[in-house]
Amino acid sequence: MISDLVIRDLVIRDLHVSAYRVPTDRPEADGTLSWDATTMVVVRADAGETAGLGWTYAPAAAATIVTDLLAPVVRGGDPMDVPGLWTAMVRRVRNAGRTGVAGYAISAVDVALWDLKARLLGVPLARLFGLAGPSVPVYGSGGFTTYDDDVTTAQLAHWVHEQGIPRVKIKIGESAGAAPARDLHRVALARRVIGDAAELYVDANGGYGAKQAVRLERRMRDHDVRWFEEPVSSDDLAGLRLVRERSEADVAAGEYGGDLVYFTRMCAAGAVDCLQIDATRCGGYTGWSGAAAIAAGHGLEVSAHCAPNLHAPVAAATPNLRHMEWFHDHVRIEGDLFDGAADPTGGAVRPPDAPGHGLTLRADVAEPYRVA
């Protein structure tokens, strides 16, 4: 921890940004998209001899936005005044578009700034925010539509029977809803593998139409599916509400939210039972806090979407949190490229006791994947 006198004299010296493209361990797809690699944009914010680290999962173009648009308004700022710097960044990208790639860039910088502040103060981020609970429940997430039965079985069994995670999610909606028989086969397989005690979730990634989703949800009741994520496109608020009103499973969406207006509209429409928030997309920890407050005002819980090691500190500080997604791709990337990654054994993670979010980039490991 740096003394109060020194902190008062510190300013943010600069932002440094890199992008890394990490191949998947096998081909992956969900209901509406396929991919073979994930790009992570990493930001380092420097003040004195201390650095904060933030990241987002976004196209490498986000790195250019950090360098060209965001660094000039953050450079020279007070590292204690993160909300003010966040507001300045939002104003700076007005003509570039607040949501999308520019919003992802803001998210990475915001996380780096909060991490920097906590490290300067010598406290864990979760303590800086203020804990709402001692740990964060997680659910295993993967089960891609490209997986065969053997791969799906091994992944689910590892989470439930080896790591003790009592809730898991698989992808359905294969080929934009054109393969419902295989979707139902995979749901039945998942239930057999995890047993009766674990919770089973599904994610269609907007692959169905509303009435198709309603019909499929009724058939999935035989397998006690508790969570139906994005049964229709997240842009179809009326469709989400229709599925929600006719489903026993909780309907969830919100992962694409980039600003508070998006979350307000989704909550006000009665479209979800649980609001998903992604701090790597919605404006970092600052944006997360606003979205969680909107959900609370509508009597809703929230769930952290992906990037589990980034979300752990702010999730632990959120009173209306339900759980956090332990997403296969990001778990693998964060575990390989960072020191200090969390352990989900037992179905929950504890925020680190180290200053900031507790993670440091393994530069030598990350360098072969660098693309910008």
Side-chain angles (χ1 to χ4, degrees):
M1 181 178 68
I2 299 174
S3 72
D4 290 346
L5 289 175
V6 173
I7 288 176
R8 281 200 291 269
D9 293 334
L10 281 177
V11 297
I12 297 166
R13 187 171 67 246
D14 209 350
L15 299 180
H16 305 272
V17 60
S18 304
Y20 305 92
R21 186 177 185 274
V22 182
T24 58
D25 53 1
R26 52 174 50 86
E28 294 178 357
D30 56 34
T32 52
L33 189 70
S34 61
W35 62 96
D36 60 9
T38 299
T39 301
M40 178 176 65
V41 176
V42 179
V43 173
R44 192 185 83 226
D46 294 338
E49 299 301 315
T50 304
L53 192 69
W55 67 96
T56 183
Y57 294 97
T64 301
I65 293 174
V66 171
T67 300
D68 293 351
L69 297 181
L70 304 183
V73 301
V74 171
R75 195 178 296 122
D78 188 330
M80 296 295 106
D81 297 337
V82 181
L85 295 170
W86 184 90
T87 300
M89 290 192 290
V90 170
R91 289 172 176 164
R92 186 66 182 87
V93 302
R94 186 197 69 181
N95 290 353
R98 161 68 179 84
T99 59
V101 175
Y104 292 10
I106 289 172
S107 301
V109 176
D110 181 82
V111 170
L113 294 176
W114 280 110
D115 184 49
L116 173 63
K117 179 175 181 176
R119 291 176 191 257
L120 287 170
L121 296 172
V123 298
L125 258 174
R127 290 289 180 182
L128 181 63
F129 294 145
L131 286 171
S135 62
V136 178
V138 302
Y139 67 89
S141 173
F144 303 108
T145 59
T146 43
Y147 284 3
D148 62 24
D149 287 2
D150 289 343
V151 173
T152 301
T153 295
Q155 186 180 68
L156 296 176
H158 171 67
W159 286 328
V160 175
H161 304 305
E162 296 176 22
Q163 292 189 311
I165 299 175
R167 53 195 81 84
V168 295
K169 184 177 80 179
I170 66 168
K171 301 289 191 180
I172 60 172
E174 182 176 344
S175 303
R182 184 163 189 265
D183 291 338
L184 291 170
H185 163 78
R186 297 180 65 251
V187 170
L189 170 69
R191 176 52 72 194
R192 288 197 302 272
V193 171
I194 68 176
D196 294 335
E199 295 182 11
L200 177 58
Y201 302 167
V202 298
D203 181 1
N205 286 98
Y208 300 128
K211 289 189 176 180
Q212 183 185 19
V214 170
R215 291 192 294 269
L216 266 291
E217 191 276 336
R218 287 174 181 165
R219 297 186 66 180
M220 290 189 292
R221 291 177 190 177
D222 292 340
H223 308 293
D224 192 23
V225 171
R226 303 287 184 86
W227 170 279
F228 197 177
E229 184 175 329
E230 210 184 1
V232 302
S233 168
S234 291
D235 294 329
D236 182 6
L237 297 180
L240 283 171
R241 179 166 181 165
L242 174 67
V243 179
R244 177 180 175 238
E245 289 175 341
R246 300 189 181 186
S247 295
E248 291 184 359
D250 281 354
V251 169
E255 65 190 72
Y256 305 114
D259 60 20
L260 299 187
V261 174
Y262 181 103
F263 296 113
T264 300
R265 288 173 176 163
M266 181 167 281
C267 292
V272 295
D273 295 291
C274 183
L275 183 70
Q276 292 178 286
I277 313 174
D278 190 328
T280 75
R281 295 173 172 175
C282 73
Y285 295 142
T286 303
W288 165 285
S289 298
I294 289 168
H298 288 83
L300 296 175
E301 292 180 315
V302 300
S303 178
H305 174 263
C306 293
N309 289 283
L310 182 148
H311 279 116
V314 74
T318 302
N320 57 324
L321 180 83
R322 181 179 296 193
H323 46 40
M324 179 174 73
E325 184 172 15
W326 193 253
F327 181 58
H328 171 73
D329 283 356
H330 296 176
V331 167
R332 189 172 65 89
I333 292 170
E334 292 167 7
D336 288 347
L337 270 58
F338 294 105
D339 285 319
D343 179 1
T345 300
V349 301
R350 291 184 175 274
D353 290 329
H357 50 51
L359 276 76
T360 56
L361 183 69
R362 296 172 177 167
D364 56 335
V365 176
E367 187 59 31
Y369 302 112
R370 185 169 178 168
V371 294

Coordinates of all heavy atoms in Angstrom, one line a residue, residues 54-99:
G54 N -6.8 -5.0 -16.8 CA -8.2 -5.2 -17.2 C -8.2 -5.9 -18.5 O -7.3 -5.9 -19.3
W55 N -9.3 -6.6 -18.8 CA -9.4 -7.2 -20.1 C -10.9 -7.4 -20.6 O -11.8 -7.2 -19.8 CB -8.7 -8.6 -20.1 CG -9.3 -9.7 -19.3 CD1 -10.2 -10.6 -19.6 CD2 -9.1 -9.9 -17.9 NE1 -10.5 -11.5 -18.6 CE2 -9.8 -11.0 -17.5 CE3 -8.3 -9.2 -16.9 CZ2 -9.8 -11.5 -16.2 CZ3 -8.3 -9.7 -15.6 CH2 -9.1 -10.9 -15.3
T56 N -11.0 -7.7 -21.8 CA -12.3 -7.9 -22.4 C -12.1 -9.0 -23.5 O -11.0 -9.2 -24.0 CB -13.0 -6.7 -23.0 OG1 -14.3 -7.0 -23.6 CG2 -12.1 -6.1 -24.2
Y57 N -13.2 -9.7 -23.9 CA -13.2 -10.6 -25.0 C -13.9 -10.0 -26.1 O -15.1 -9.8 -26.1 CB -13.9 -11.9 -24.6 CG -13.1 -12.7 -23.5 CD1 -13.4 -12.5 -22.1 CD2 -12.0 -13.4 -23.8 CE1 -12.7 -13.2 -21.1 CE2 -11.2 -14.1 -22.8 CZ -11.6 -14.0 -21.5 OH -10.9 -14.6 -20.5
A58 N -13.1 -9.5 -27.1 CA -13.5 -8.6 -28.2 C -12.6 -8.7 -29.4 O -11.5 -9.2 -29.3 CB -13.6 -7.2 -27.6
P59 N -13.1 -8.2 -30.5 CA -12.1 -8.1 -31.6 C -10.9 -7.3 -31.3 O -11.0 -6.3 -30.5 CB -13.0 -7.4 -32.7 CG -14.4 -7.8 -32.4 CD -14.4 -7.8 -30.9
A60 N -9.8 -7.5 -32.0 CA -8.6 -6.8 -31.7 C -8.7 -5.3 -32.0 O -8.0 -4.5 -31.5 CB -7.4 -7.4 -32.5
A61 N -9.8 -4.9 -32.7 CA -10.0 -3.5 -33.0 C -10.3 -2.7 -31.7 O -10.0 -1.5 -31.7 CB -11.2 -3.4 -33.9
A62 N -10.7 -3.4 -30.7 CA -10.9 -2.7 -29.4 C -9.6 -2.1 -28.9 O -9.6 -1.1 -28.2 CB -11.5 -3.7 -28.4
A63 N -8.5 -2.8 -29.2 CA -7.2 -2.2 -28.8 C -6.9 -0.9 -29.4 O -6.3 0.0 -28.7 CB -6.1 -3.2 -29.1
T64 N -7.3 -0.7 -30.6 CA -7.1 0.6 -31.3 C -7.9 1.7 -30.7 O -7.5 2.8 -30.5 CB -7.5 0.5 -32.8 OG1 -6.6 -0.6 -33.4 CG2 -7.2 1.8 -33.5
I65 N -9.1 1.3 -30.3 CA -10.0 2.3 -29.6 C -9.4 2.7 -28.3 O -9.4 3.9 -27.9 CB -11.4 1.7 -29.4 CG1 -12.1 1.6 -30.8 CG2 -12.3 2.6 -28.5 CD1 -13.4 0.9 -30.7
V66 N -8.8 1.8 -27.5 CA -8.1 2.1 -26.3 C -7.0 3.1 -26.5 O -6.9 4.2 -25.9 CB -7.6 0.9 -25.6 CG1 -6.7 1.3 -24.4 CG2 -8.7 0.0 -25.1
T67 N -6.2 2.8 -27.5 CA -5.0 3.7 -27.8 C -5.4 5.1 -28.3 O -4.9 6.1 -27.9 CB -4.1 3.0 -28.8 OG1 -3.7 1.7 -28.2 CG2 -2.9 3.8 -29.1
D68 N -6.3 5.1 -29.3 CA -6.6 6.3 -30.0 C -7.6 7.2 -29.3 O -7.6 8.4 -29.4 CB -7.2 6.0 -31.4 CG -6.1 5.4 -32.3 OD1 -4.9 5.3 -31.9 OD2 -6.4 4.9 -33.4
L69 N -8.6 6.6 -28.6 CA -9.7 7.4 -28.1 C -9.7 7.5 -26.6 O -10.0 8.5 -26.0 CB -11.1 6.8 -28.5 CG -11.4 6.8 -30.0 CD1 -12.7 6.2 -30.3 CD2 -11.3 8.3 -30.6
L70 N -9.4 6.4 -25.9 CA -9.6 6.3 -24.4 C -8.3 6.8 -23.7 O -8.4 7.5 -22.7 CB -10.0 4.9 -24.0 CG -11.2 4.4 -24.6 CD1 -11.6 3.0 -24.1 CD2 -12.4 5.3 -24.5
A71 N -7.1 6.4 -24.1 CA -5.9 6.7 -23.4 C -5.8 8.2 -23.3 O -5.4 8.7 -22.2 CB -4.7 6.1 -24.1
P72 N -6.1 9.0 -24.3 CA -5.9 10.5 -24.1 C -6.8 11.1 -23.0 O -6.3 12.1 -22.4 CB -6.2 11.0 -25.5 CG -6.0 9.9 -26.5 CD -6.3 8.7 -25.7
V73 N -7.9 10.6 -22.8 CA -8.8 11.2 -21.8 C -8.5 10.6 -20.4 O -8.9 11.2 -19.4 CB -10.3 11.0 -22.1 CG1 -10.6 11.7 -23.4 CG2 -10.7 9.5 -22.1
V74 N -7.9 9.4 -20.3 CA -7.5 8.8 -19.0 C -6.2 9.3 -18.5 O -5.9 9.5 -17.3 CB -7.6 7.3 -19.1 CG1 -7.0 6.6 -17.9 CG2 -9.0 6.8 -19.4
R75 N -5.2 9.5 -19.5 CA -3.9 9.9 -19.1 C -3.9 11.2 -18.3 O -4.5 12.1 -18.7 CB -3.1 10.0 -20.4 CG -1.6 10.0 -20.2 CD -0.9 10.2 -21.6 NE -1.1 9.0 -22.4 CZ -1.6 9.0 -23.6 NH1 -2.0 10.2 -24.1 NH2 -1.8 7.9 -24.3
G76 N -3.2 11.2 -17.2 CA -3.1 12.3 -16.4 C -4.2 12.4 -15.3 O -4.3 13.3 -14.5
G77 N -5.2 11.5 -15.4 CA -6.3 11.5 -14.4 C -5.9 11.0 -13.1 O -4.9 10.3 -12.9
D78 N -6.8 11.2 -12.1 CA -6.6 10.7 -10.7 C -7.1 9.3 -10.6 O -8.2 9.0 -10.9 CB -7.4 11.6 -9.8 CG -7.1 11.3 -8.3 OD1 -6.8 10.2 -8.0 OD2 -7.3 12.3 -7.5
P79 N -6.2 8.4 -10.2 CA -6.6 6.9 -10.2 C -7.6 6.6 -9.1 O -8.2 5.6 -9.1 CB -5.3 6.2 -9.9 CG -4.4 7.3 -9.3 CD -4.8 8.6 -9.9
M80 N -7.9 7.6 -8.2 CA -8.9 7.4 -7.2 C -10.3 7.7 -7.8 O -11.3 7.3 -7.2 CB -8.7 8.2 -6.0 CG -7.4 7.9 -5.2 SD -7.4 6.2 -4.5 CE -6.3 5.4 -5.6
D81 N -10.4 8.4 -8.9 CA -11.7 8.9 -9.4 C -12.1 8.1 -10.6 O -12.3 8.7 -11.7 CB -11.5 10.4 -9.7 CG -11.2 11.2 -8.5 OD1 -11.5 10.8 -7.4 OD2 -10.7 12.3 -8.7
V82 N -12.4 6.8 -10.4 CA -12.7 6.0 -11.6 C -14.1 6.4 -12.2 O -14.2 6.4 -13.4 CB -12.7 4.5 -11.1 CG1 -13.1 3.6 -12.3 CG2 -11.3 4.1 -10.6
P83 N -15.1 6.6 -11.4 CA -16.4 7.0 -12.1 C -16.2 8.2 -13.0 O -16.9 8.3 -14.1 CB -17.3 7.3 -10.9 CG -16.8 6.4 -9.8 CD -15.3 6.5 -9.9
G84 N -15.5 9.2 -12.6 CA -15.3 10.4 -13.4 C -14.5 10.0 -14.7 O -14.9 10.5 -15.8
L85 N -13.5 9.2 -14.6 CA -12.8 8.7 -15.8 C -13.7 7.9 -16.7 O -13.6 8.0 -17.9 CB -11.6 7.9 -15.4 CG -10.5 8.7 -14.6 CD1 -9.4 7.8 -14.1 CD2 -9.9 9.8 -15.5
W86 N -14.6 7.1 -16.1 CA -15.5 6.3 -16.9 C -16.5 7.2 -17.7 O -16.7 7.0 -18.9 CB -16.3 5.4 -16.0 CG -17.3 4.5 -16.6 CD1 -17.0 3.2 -17.0 CD2 -18.7 4.7 -16.9 NE1 -18.2 2.6 -17.5 CE2 -19.2 3.5 -17.5 CE3 -19.5 5.8 -16.7 CZ2 -20.5 3.4 -17.9 CZ3 -20.9 5.7 -17.1 CH2 -21.3 4.5 -17.7
T87 N -17.0 8.2 -17.0 CA -17.8 9.2 -17.7 C -17.1 9.9 -18.9 O -17.7 10.1 -20.0 CB -18.4 10.2 -16.7 OG1 -19.1 9.6 -15.7 CG2 -19.3 11.2 -17.4
A88 N -15.9 10.2 -18.7 CA -15.1 10.9 -19.7 C -14.9 10.0 -20.9 O -14.9 10.4 -22.1 CB -13.7 11.3 -19.2
M89 N -14.7 8.7 -20.6 CA -14.5 7.7 -21.7 C -15.8 7.5 -22.5 O -15.8 7.5 -23.8 CB -14.1 6.3 -21.2 CG -12.6 6.3 -20.7 SD -12.0 4.6 -20.3 CE -13.0 4.2 -18.9
V90 N -16.9 7.5 -21.8 CA -18.2 7.3 -22.5 C -18.5 8.5 -23.4 O -18.9 8.4 -24.5 CB -19.3 7.2 -21.4 CG1 -20.7 7.3 -22.1 CG2 -19.2 5.8 -20.7
R91 N -18.2 9.7 -22.9 CA -18.4 10.9 -23.8 C -17.4 10.9 -25.0 O -17.8 11.3 -26.1 CB -18.1 12.2 -22.9 CG -19.2 12.4 -21.9 CD -18.8 13.6 -21.0 NE -19.8 13.9 -20.0 CZ -19.7 14.6 -18.9 NH1 -18.5 15.1 -18.6 NH2 -20.7 14.9 -18.1
R92 N -16.2 10.4 -24.8 CA -15.2 10.4 -25.8 C -15.6 9.5 -27.0 O -15.3 9.8 -28.2 CB -13.9 9.9 -25.3 CG -12.7 10.1 -26.3 CD -12.5 11.5 -26.7 NE -11.4 11.7 -27.7 CZ -11.6 11.6 -29.0 NH1 -12.9 11.4 -29.5 NH2 -10.7 11.8 -29.8
V93 N -16.4 8.4 -26.8 CA -16.7 7.5 -27.8 C -18.1 7.8 -28.5 O -18.6 7.0 -29.2 CB -16.6 6.0 -27.4 CG1 -15.3 5.7 -26.9 CG2 -17.7 5.7 -26.3
R94 N -18.6 9.0 -28.2 CA -20.0 9.3 -28.7 C -20.1 9.0 -30.2 O -21.1 8.3 -30.6 CB -20.3 10.7 -28.4 CG -21.8 11.1 -28.7 CD -21.9 12.6 -28.9 NE -21.3 13.1 -30.1 CZ -21.3 14.4 -30.4 NH1 -21.8 15.3 -29.7 NH2 -20.6 14.8 -31.5
N95 N -19.2 9.5 -31.0 CA -19.3 9.3 -32.4 C -18.9 7.9 -32.9 O -19.1 7.6 -34.1 CB -18.5 10.4 -33.1 CG -19.2 11.8 -33.0 OD1 -20.3 11.9 -32.5 ND2 -18.5 12.8 -33.5
A96 N -18.2 7.2 -32.0 CA -17.8 5.9 -32.4 C -18.8 4.8 -32.0 O -18.7 3.7 -32.5 CB -16.5 5.5 -31.7
G97 N -19.8 5.2 -31.2 CA -20.8 4.3 -30.8 C -20.5 3.8 -29.4 O -19.5 3.1 -29.2
R98 N -21.4 4.1 -28.4 CA -21.1 3.7 -27.0 C -21.1 2.2 -26.8 O -20.3 1.7 -26.0 CB -22.2 4.3 -26.2 CG -22.4 3.7 -24.8 CD -21.2 4.0 -23.9 NE -21.4 3.4 -22.6 CZ -21.2 2.2 -22.2 NH1 -20.7 1.3 -23.1 NH2 -21.4 1.7 -21.0
T99 N -22.0 1.4 -27.5 CA -22.0 0.0 -27.3 C -21.2 -0.7 -28.4 O -20.6 -0.1 -29.2 CB -23.5 -0.5 -27.3 OG1 -24.1 -0.2 -28.6 CG2 -24.3 0.1 -26.2

